[in-house]
Amino acid sequence: MTGQLTPNGRFGAFGGAFVPETLKPALEELEAAFRQMADDPAFQEEFQTLLAEYAGRPSRLYFARRLTEHLGGARVYLKREDLNHTGSHKINNTLGQVLMAKRMGKKRVIAETGAGQHGVATATACALFGIPCEVYMGAEDVERQALNVLRMQLLGTKVIAVTSGTRTLKDAINEAMRDWVANVQDTFYCFGTAAGPHPYPSIVRYFQSVIGVEARAQIIEKEGRLPDAVLACVGGGSNAMGMFSGFLDDASVRLIGVEAGGDGVETGRHSASLTAGIPGVLHGAVSYLLQDDDGQIMGTHSIAAGLDYPGVGPQLSYLKDSGRAEFVAITDREALEGVRILALTEGILPALESAHAIAQAAKMAPQMSPDSLLIVNLSGRGDKDVHTLAGEVG
Amino acid sequence: MEELRGTERLAATFATLKAEGKRAFIAYVTAGDPDMETTKELVLTLEKNGASIIELGVPFSDPVADGPVIQEAAGRALAGGTTLPKVLETVRALRQETSIPIVLLTYYNPVLRFGLARFACEAAASGVDGVIVADLPAEEGGVLREPLDEMGLALIPLAAPTSTPERIQLIAEKARGFIYCVSLLGVTGMRADLPPDAAALLERVRAMTDVPLALGFGISTAEHAAIVAPNCDGVIVGSAIVKLIAKNLDDRAQMLAEVGAFAREMAAAVG
């Protein structure tokens, strides 16, 4: 089910492929390759083996007892994507896409990265398969995520600092697309999130759906029933789509996406595209966007580099409009409190991105009865953020 | 020719040139770079010095098909407060002084935000003749093509060296005005060497359609223009002109003189 491609890549009024003509044939080639590989048992076997033996799947569904006691309400479970190799959910997608690149005979892989987690995961997969890799990263993110820059370099990847525009994820995607336009014949663009032009939203969701599929089976095994809600942070939305896709057909399960409220949505300094945006086209798809009255893309802010993006995946936009998923915004301040609570109650330092989802759980759980169940997607670990945290906490 | 407009004006321009055994020199400037008053003077200067068609860039914050020269021009224009309504106002003002075909080159989001039907209506009323949307491939273009068709304006498609025969067929079927043939794999900008893919692309598109073919991306010298011109109906030059603008931001007279001289040279090489 999760491998399905929608016609023209549409999710209701969202999605599509709005790209320069030069790239359109490459997207068609990618779609054809994806269709073939999704049905190819040999590909599936190699991919599943990599997930199990290299990435360390299945990731644990962990009952957070002390966090639950601290919050005094719903039982809170954590889907431990932070335990994956490279420390986040991103490895699921990059192993899949780089395996595709190898089978398509591509000579070079490029990627963009915000927090660096996708960059590190792409660099890792490329090292594993022996394919040269270059990663575009906003100059501001190069500074605030220095540890991940070093990791990518150690893995043999060239990190290119992007100084145009807002110097963050949006501009890294622009530069990666320009590179792809120029080198499309032998280069594979390993897109990092469930956004971008068709077929990327479907491909990334497919490779990340393992999160939700596992979580659903694990909670049923542990609790004998479905959760009341699942929560995930939303930048572009790959970990959210991964988690949600396991529960889309379970109408009783609330799907809650947590966006970056930055200094507060009312201040205008945030990255909450679904909460405060308007549908438009950026990076190849119709989706909710932070844009001004003239259709220019607005600058964004989040303490979490991985959420600092003015757009969002088209399927999440569709889930918002259809009412299937709910979206809320958590401020920088609340996210920092989320880091603190999880570190002190469970001994787990979450990524600042994931801390947004923790903070939302901390708001909701006390309002819920002790027999209700929440699953929070702990999409990544916080080692990369210690520099930022030192500035905030120290 | 004054009474013609839109797709018809573009067709008439190419037909007249063809009858004279000439090609169109299509000159690009970003509207509002560095300000609208200068843009108007640049358009008139380009026309006076031999441009047959003007491409007016409507700046966008995230121009993925453009290289640094045009991206920086868009940045200057946006910093100066350029918006789509102001570009349309400028075209309306220019129409008091010139009947040269004017096509807008932009990205989809500013047009979508403005409203597709409203855009078609107001662009026609302003005297715009056609529109090129860099990130709108043929499949997705229908919703804009329909209102533009109704107003008699051209939605000019792009064809690339990577375009498959099936895609070129589709592009040719949907084309109005002319087909913007992208000479190389890459973004806009000047190149030292002539794009090797250009001739093959022109040949492949020509086999499918009689719509005029204009070649763009990377053409920056009269020498290059003279070599590629015989194979197409028009040559598009952007970054080389924008670079002259950027170089002379402090001296408008010098800017106009240099752009004029360059246009003269290119028009001679293309014609």
Side-chain angles (χ1 to χ4, degrees):
Chain A
M1 181 204 81
T2 43
Q4 276 176 4
L5 291 166
T6 55
N8 303 318
R10 284 300 199 280
F11 304 93
F14 302 99
F18 298 83
V19 293
E21 170 62 22
T22 306
L23 292 183
K24 187 71 188 163
L27 292 171
E28 289 177 352
E29 181 192 11
L30 186 64
E31 182 178 346
F34 177 66
R35 280 181 197 285
Q36 194 214 328
M37 289 169 202
D39 289 336
D40 177 0
F43 179 87
Q44 290 302 329
E45 195 193 329
E46 188 170 1
F47 179 54
Q48 295 303 331
T49 302
L50 282 168
L51 287 183
E53 295 178 8
Y54 186 74
R57 302 208 70 89
S59 72
R60 301 297 173 175
L61 184 71
Y62 166 73
F63 173 55
R65 184 179 309 279
R66 292 239 307 140
L67 177 64
T68 296
E69 284 168 9
H70 175 76
L71 296 176
R75 292 165 67 79
V76 180
Y77 280 85
L78 304 176
K79 181 60 175 162
R80 297 290 308 272
E81 293 299 301
D82 62 317
L83 294 179
N84 290 339
H85 181 46
T86 72
S88 80
H89 71 294
K90 296 290 188 184
I91 193 76
N92 307 326
N93 174 46
T94 61
L95 286 174
Q97 284 199 44
V98 177
L99 186 57
M100 283 179 68
K102 188 181 159 102
R103 290 188 165 222
M104 290 167 76
K106 300 293 182 184
K107 303 282 179 255
R108 170 177 178 259
V109 167
I110 56 170
E112 82 295 333
T113 197
Q117 297 298 70
H118 175 61
V120 168
T122 308
T124 298
C126 286
L128 181 65
F129 289 111
I131 300 180
C133 177
E134 289 177 42
V135 171
Y136 290 89
M137 190 170 186
E140 185 181 328
D141 295 334
V142 167
E143 282 171 33
R144 58 178 165 172
Q145 299 290 349
L147 177 63
N148 274 343
V149 172
L150 178 62
R151 291 168 77 193
M152 286 185 268
Q153 288 166 341
L154 290 170
L155 291 161
T157 278
K158 185 177 169 196
V159 179
I160 302 164
V162 176
T163 54
S164 60
T166 57
R167 303 155 59 96
T168 57
L169 179 56
K170 162 180 87 87
D171 307 286
I173 295 178
N174 289 343
E175 286 307 324
M177 282 190 150
R178 291 186 178 113
D179 181 315
W180 202 30
V181 169
N183 300 292
V184 64
Q185 280 165 324
D186 65 358
T187 295
F188 186 98
Y189 183 5
C190 183
F191 204 78
T193 192
H198 175 69
Y200 282 113
S202 297
I203 290 179
V204 176
R205 178 199 58 202
Y206 175 77
F207 289 131
Q208 294 294 3
S209 63
V210 62
I211 301 171
V213 170
E214 282 178 8
R216 190 177 188 281
Q218 288 166 327
I219 194 78
I220 287 173
E221 193 191 325
K222 286 176 189 291
E223 294 278 355
R225 67 182 185 90
L226 289 167
D228 296 280
V230 296
L231 290 83
C233 66
V234 175
S238 72
N239 87 85
M241 271 322 304
M243 176 60 89
F244 292 177
S245 58
F247 299 94
L248 281 177
D249 297 334
D250 301 315
S252 67
V253 180
R254 290 171 66 192
L255 311 176
I256 299 170
V258 187
E259 297 196 290
D263 292 346
V265 171
E266 69 290 347
T267 67
R269 269 177 57 79
H270 61 85
S271 310
S273 320
L274 288 158
T275 307
I278 300 164
V281 170
L282 175 69
H283 297 145
V286 181
S287 200
Y288 276 88
L289 285 183
L290 295 175
Q291 55 175 318
D292 67 14
D293 292 342
D294 296 305
Q296 307 295 342
I297 307 307
M298 286 163 56
T300 53
H301 165 76
S302 171
I303 195 169
L307 304 184
D308 202 350
Y309 180 62
V312 67
Q315 192 167 5
L316 288 170
S317 293
Y318 174 69
L319 292 174
K320 173 191 162 80
D321 276 16
S322 66
R324 178 65 189 93
E326 308 155 50
F327 295 92
V328 294
I330 284 290
T331 64
D332 288 351
R333 198 54 37 206
E334 291 169 323
L336 285 166
E337 181 60 16
V339 172
R340 204 182 67 88
I341 291 175
L342 193 66
L344 294 180
T345 59
E346 296 290 346
I348 297 171
L349 197 60
L352 278 168
E353 289 77 13
S354 318
H356 284 71
I358 297 289
Q360 177 62 21
K363 276 188 180 179
M364 289 173 64
Q367 316 295 324
M368 299 169 78
S369 72
D371 60 353
S372 47
L373 301 175
L374 292 184
I375 300 178
V376 180
N377 195 12
L378 195 65
S379 55
R381 64 178 177 231
D383 311 33
K384 70 187 173 60
D385 295 320
V386 290
H387 184 68
T388 306
L389 290 169
E392 298 290 335
V393 179
Chain B
M1 226 161 86
E2 265 77 355
E3 69 278 10
L4 292 178
R5 46 180 286 281
T7 308
E8 290 183 349
R9 174 149 53 193
L10 287 163
T13 299
F14 280 107
T16 306
L17 288 166
K18 193 172 186 180
E20 295 167 4
K22 291 180 181 170
R23 266 84 38 190
F25 163 46
I26 304 173
Y28 170 94
V29 291
T30 300
D33 170 32
D35 57 70
M36 283 299 185
E37 214 35 61
T38 307
T39 298
K40 277 189 234 170
E41 289 187 36
L42 282 165
V43 169
L44 297 174
T45 298
L46 286 163
E47 181 186 23
K48 200 166 65 191
N49 289 283
S52 317
I53 296 172
I54 300 293
E55 258 183 41
L56 210 47
V58 180
F60 179 49
S61 52
D62 294 81
V64 293
D66 284 302
V69 171
I70 290 178
Q71 187 183 13
E72 282 161 22
R76 288 192 294 272
L78 289 172
T82 303
T83 60
L84 178 53
K86 286 183 186 169
V87 177
L88 294 174
E89 247 171 67
T90 300
V91 176
R92 190 188 291 267
L94 276 165
R95 280 290 170 243
Q96 305 302 312
E97 305 187 48
T98 174
S99 61
I100 189 169
I102 296 177
V103 302
L104 302 184
L105 192 149
T106 189
Y107 290 80
Y108 196 38
N109 201 53
V111 180
L112 195 61
R113 188 82 183 94
F114 190 78
L116 301 181
R118 177 183 169 212
F119 171 73
C121 219
E122 296 197 15
S126 305
V128 167
D129 297 301
V131 186
I132 302 163
V133 184
D135 56 349
L136 189 66
E139 291 84 348
E140 307 281 8
V143 286
L144 178 57
R145 195 179 306 110
E146 280 169 29
L148 287 174
D149 270 347
E150 254 174 61
M151 302 307 303
L153 303 196
L155 180 59
I156 297 150
L158 293 102
T162 47
S163 301
T164 56
E166 295 75 28
R167 294 196 55 75
I168 290 176
Q169 181 82 49
L170 176 74
I171 290 161
E173 274 168 26
K174 307 287 185 194
R176 305 282 191 277
F178 61 90
I179 296 174
Y180 189 140
C181 296
V182 175
S183 66
L184 45 75
L185 299 181
V187 293
T188 59
M190 300 178 288
R191 308 289 199 281
D193 300 315
L194 258 184
D197 300 324
L201 173 65
L202 288 167
E203 210 171 293
R204 293 199 300 134
V205 184
R206 177 54 77 222
M208 301 258 191
T209 180
D210 294 327
V211 174
L213 308 184
L215 188 72
F217 279 45
I219 301 161
S220 60
T221 67
E223 188 193 357
H224 288 176
I227 296 170
V228 296
N231 301 317
C232 56
D233 306 294
V235 174
I236 304 166
V237 179
S239 294
I241 295 171
V242 173
K243 196 158 188 189
L244 292 176
I245 294 168
K247 194 182 113 191
N248 293 294
L249 288 172
D250 298 335
D251 187 343
R252 194 198 281 190
Q254 179 72 16
M255 179 196 295
L256 293 168
E258 286 191 24
V259 168
F262 179 73
R264 232 171 7 256
E265 200 187 325
M266 293 304 282
V270 168

